Amino acid sequence: KDANASVRFYQEGENYPEIIMNVPSLVEGVYQITNKEELYAFALLVNKKVDASANAVLTADITVNTGVLKSDGSLADDVSGFTTWTPIGFGVTYTGTFDGQEHTISGLYFNDSSSDYVGLFGYNNGSIEDVGIIESYFKGKDYVGSVCGYNVVEWFISVKGNTEASIDKCYNTGTVSGN
């Protein structure tokens, strides 16, 4: 029950509770992401609807996989050892603030041409800022990007009355493929 515990539980419907390991520490209501395990745990917190409005900061550069791309930018020949990424906001709308603090995330790997809303973030109605995505590979169907697959657009914001959706000072040096 400690809000700052590195283990959290979530439960959907009548299913048994499941566990989320390596939850990043909370400092004044903001998750402090220091490594790839905490990045994956943060994605689970959002995607399992434990907290879709969670705020987070990167406190270091993070490498998820190495050797994802060849020198020409194409996908490595052997992907069998790569950890697959599930975007933050995959099946749920992310509404928090994610501050990369000018850090990078490298080696993200997502390769499913039938999936929509693909990137570090899948579906964003929050704020993503100051993060670089490098040496990563994203392949999906529709709404595919590196930092974000789908950022809520202005016409939708005016209908819903939300003016918070933004992506600011972010970049990509990886490969993105989709419609």
Side-chain angles (χ1 to χ4, degrees):
K1 293 188 177 189
D2 179 358
N4 209 17
S6 65
V7 175
R8 297 277 178 86
F9 294 91
Y10 68 93
Q11 184 173 2
E12 293 182 49
E14 295 182 17
N15 296 332
Y16 288 107
E18 295 184 45
I19 192 168
I20 300 175
M21 302 290 292
N22 303 307
V23 174
S25 5
L26 269 171
V27 175
E28 298 179 9
V30 179
Y31 288 98
Q32 310 292 305
I33 301 173
T34 63
N35 58 45
K36 69 180 180 180
E37 291 81 12
E38 291 176 350
L39 181 65
Y40 276 79
F42 180 76
L44 276 174
L45 286 171
V46 172
N47 295 344
K48 295 297 183 179
K49 301 175 187 169
V50 174
D51 190 357
S53 63
N55 298 321
V57 296
L58 290 183
T59 61
D61 293 341
I62 295 174
T63 300
V64 175
N65 297 294
T66 57
V68 171
L69 300 178
K70 297 181 196 175
S71 60
D72 66 359
S74 62
L75 183 61
D77 293 326
D78 181 13
V79 299
S80 61
F82 292 159
T83 302
T84 300
W85 173 247
T86 300
I88 300 165
F90 197 68
V92 63
T93 303
Y94 178 70
T95 58
T97 297
F98 186 92
D99 184 354
Q101 298 190 114
E102 298 183 4
H103 289 290
T104 61
I105 300 172
S106 64
L108 291 172
Y109 170 72
F110 186 98
N111 190 4
D112 181 354
S113 59
S114 65
S115 288
D116 296 332
Y117 307 107
V118 175
L120 170 62
F121 288 82
Y123 196 99
N124 176 54
N125 192 18
S127 175
I128 305 165
E129 55 193 50
D130 289 324
V131 65
I133 307 301
I134 60 174
E135 300 171 18
S136 296
Y137 183 85
F138 299 97
K139 182 176 184 180
K141 184 179 176 191
D142 294 322
Y143 307 108
V144 182
S146 62
V147 174
C148 183
Y150 186 86
N151 192 54
V152 176
V153 291
E154 209 170 296
W155 67 267
F156 185 77
I157 292 169
S158 65
V159 170
K160 295 290 185 180
N162 184 342
T163 59
E164 299 299 315
S166 66
I167 299 173
D168 191 32
K169 297 183 275 183
C170 298
Y171 66 93
N172 168 55
T173 63
T175 298
V176 177
S177 174
N179 295 327

